């Protein structure tokens, strides 16, 4: 006979435990909210620092706000008068045209050079790659004002190394040449400066995207007889295209709102050769204490930049949707 062992059943087996609620969880509700409470001061501070100046600028752009109103605070609303004043000025539209030319030249130069640097870095050995990446990081880390001051010294009319080098090479006409007194020369120096400062970030980002491309795809393309240009066009670029477009959009934003370099180096001069929209907004606000017109110019700058990005992303998403 087989003995049947009876299993012992706990006394509370038939009892169902009550559901755990937030009120009886021993502080589980507080534990859920605690991370949000920790980041709340930082989030609120960031929103205040970002949204309050923007809201204040929007408000001033609809007011008659000059030096008297800045001191007394009794500004009157004038509706769209400030915007109509700016849009009716020929100078404003000339600045808009110059801004878009400046942005196009900068973005094209930055993307071409950064792509070439990224491709070169990918093909270097470990030591050379480390040197190049370290140099790019060091250039990227240079403060904007410090780099701008160095470029001012380089192109100084009397003591600049550029004039001395060109004179030593036989170009006697560049002895004491005043670079910042000529509009085209000053514009070119600003373009070179911003390209020099922007290429490191774009090149490092594109290099990080290039290293994710599988080597087998390159080998297959070369076995099919594809050259370097065809490999980049058919293999490399389609895979790094999202990162490339992200970098492109960031460079559009950064070059569109470039201010510090131009203000430190030329203050928008000579004449208005280097005056773009951010510089124009500050000049308008400070020249005659027309803070209302300066705020309106800033808002128009934001609208134009947003419009460029909206059109760009719309075209990008359309192309993404047409791909099989």
């Amino acid at each position: 006979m087989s003995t049947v062992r009876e299993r012992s059943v706990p006394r509370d087996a038939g009892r169902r435990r009550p559901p755990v609620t937030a009120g009886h969880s021993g502080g589980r509700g507080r534990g859920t909210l605690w991370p949000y409470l920790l980041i709340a001061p930082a989030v609120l501070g960031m929103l205040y620092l970002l949204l309050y100046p923007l809201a204040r600028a929007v408000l001033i752009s609809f007011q008659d706000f000059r030096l008297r109103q800045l001191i007394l605070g009794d500004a009157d609303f004038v509706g769209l008068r400030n915007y109509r004043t700016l849009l009716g000025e020929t100078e404003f539209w000339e600045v808009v045209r110059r801004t878009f030319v400046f942005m196009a030249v900068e973005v094209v130069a930055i993307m071409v050079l950064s792509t070439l640097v990224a491709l070169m870095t990918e093909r270097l050995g470990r030591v050379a790659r480390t040197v190049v990446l370290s140099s790019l990081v060091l250039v990227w880390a240079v403060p904007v004002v410090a780099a701008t001051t160095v470029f001012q010294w380089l192109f100084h009319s009397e003591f600049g190394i550029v004039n001395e080098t060109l004179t030593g090479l036989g170009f006697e006409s560049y002895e004491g040449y005043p670079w910042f007194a000529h509009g085209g020369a000053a514009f070119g120096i600003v373009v070179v400066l911003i390209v020099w400062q922007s290429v490191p970030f774009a090149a490092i980002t594109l290099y990080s995207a290039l290293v994710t491309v599988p080597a087998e795809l390159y080998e297959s393309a070369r076995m099919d007889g594809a050259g370097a240009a065809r490999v980049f066009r058919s293999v490399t670029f389609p895979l790094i295209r999202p990162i490339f477009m992200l970098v492109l959009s960031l460079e559009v934003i950064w070059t569109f709102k470039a201010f510090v370099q131009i203000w430190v180096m030329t203050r928008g001069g000579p004449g208005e050769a280097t005056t773009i929209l951010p510089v124009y907004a500050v000049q308008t606000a400070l020249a005659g204490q027309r803070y209302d017109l300066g705020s309106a110019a800033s808002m128009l700058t934001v609208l134009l930049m947003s419009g460029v990005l909206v059109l760009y992303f719309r075209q990008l998403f359309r192309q993404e949707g047409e791909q099989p």
Side-chain angles (χ1 to χ4, degrees), residues 35-51:
Y36 300 99
L37 294 177
L38 290 176
I39 66 173
V43 172
L44 294 176
M46 181 182 65
L47 291 177
Y48 176 78
L49 294 176
L50 293 178
L51 296 182

Side-chain angles (χ1 to χ4, degrees), residues 39-322:
I39 66 173
V43 172
L44 294 176
M46 181 182 65
L47 291 177
Y48 176 78
L49 294 176
L50 293 178
L51 296 182
Y52 175 76
L54 178 62
R56 184 64 173 164
V58 172
L59 178 63
I60 293 176
S61 68
F62 292 104
Q63 295 177 328
D64 182 10
F65 200 95
R66 309 188 188 193
L67 183 60
R68 180 179 182 276
Q69 287 75 19
L70 178 64
I71 298 174
L72 300 179
D74 56 345
D76 298 326
F77 283 92
V78 294
L80 298 175
R81 189 182 71 183
N82 296 322
Y83 292 94
R84 288 195 297 267
T85 301
L86 285 177
L87 296 177
E89 293 181 354
T90 306
E91 180 184 359
F92 173 78
W93 292 109
E94 179 64 24
V95 172
V96 171
R97 184 196 65 81
R98 189 182 303 113
T99 302
F100 278 96
V101 172
F102 176 81
M103 180 189 66
V105 173
E106 291 280 2
V107 171
V108 170
I110 290 170
M111 298 309 299
V112 171
L113 290 177
S114 59
T115 302
L116 294 176
V117 171
L119 291 172
M120 179 196 69
T121 306
E122 186 191 19
R123 287 161 173 76
L124 294 176
R126 178 178 300 179
V127 177
R129 187 187 308 120
T130 303
V131 172
V132 171
L133 292 177
S134 301
S135 302
L136 291 175
V137 171
L138 290 176
V139 172
W140 190 20
V142 176
V144 175
V145 176
T148 306
T149 305
V150 170
F151 267 71
Q152 286 180 308
W153 292 344
L154 290 175
F155 291 92
H156 194 275
S157 59
E158 297 182 8
F159 310 106
I161 191 174
V162 174
N163 283 354
E164 183 177 354
T165 302
L166 292 175
T167 304
L169 293 176
F171 299 95
E172 300 295 337
S173 60
Y174 285 97
E175 183 176 359
Y177 184 79
W179 293 91
F180 298 106
H182 297 81
F187 187 88
I189 293 172
V190 172
V191 169
V192 172
L193 170 61
I194 297 179
V195 169
W196 180 78
Q197 291 178 322
S198 303
V199 163
F201 168 80
I204 293 174
T205 306
L206 293 177
Y207 167 75
S208 64
L210 287 174
V211 297
T212 62
V213 179
E216 295 80 3
L217 298 179
Y218 291 132
E219 295 177 0
S220 300
R222 293 190 184 96
M223 291 177 62
D224 292 338
R230 181 63 183 275
V231 169
F232 177 80
R233 186 173 61 253
S234 302
V235 178
T236 306
F237 186 74
L239 294 177
I240 69 169
R241 181 176 177 177
I243 301 299
F244 186 90
M245 294 303 176
L246 174 62
V247 174
L248 178 63
S249 61
L250 291 176
E251 296 299 338
V252 168
I253 296 173
W254 290 339
T255 56
F256 201 94
K257 65 183 185 65
F259 169 77
V260 177
Q261 298 92 334
I262 299 175
W263 189 256
V264 172
M265 184 175 290
T266 64
R267 296 293 180 96
E272 297 180 355
T274 57
T275 300
I276 61 175
L277 279 171
V279 180
Y280 176 79
V282 175
Q283 289 177 341
T284 303
L286 298 181
Q289 284 78 44
R290 292 301 307 267
Y291 306 109
D292 46 3
L293 293 179
S295 297
S298 299
M299 293 303 101
L300 290 174
T301 302
V302 173
L303 291 176
L304 288 173
M305 184 174 62
S306 302
V308 171
L309 291 177
V310 167
L311 293 175
Y312 163 72
F313 282 115
R314 182 179 179 182
Q315 182 66 23
L316 177 62
F317 293 148
R318 181 181 299 174
Q319 293 177 359
E320 294 275 342
E322 292 177 355

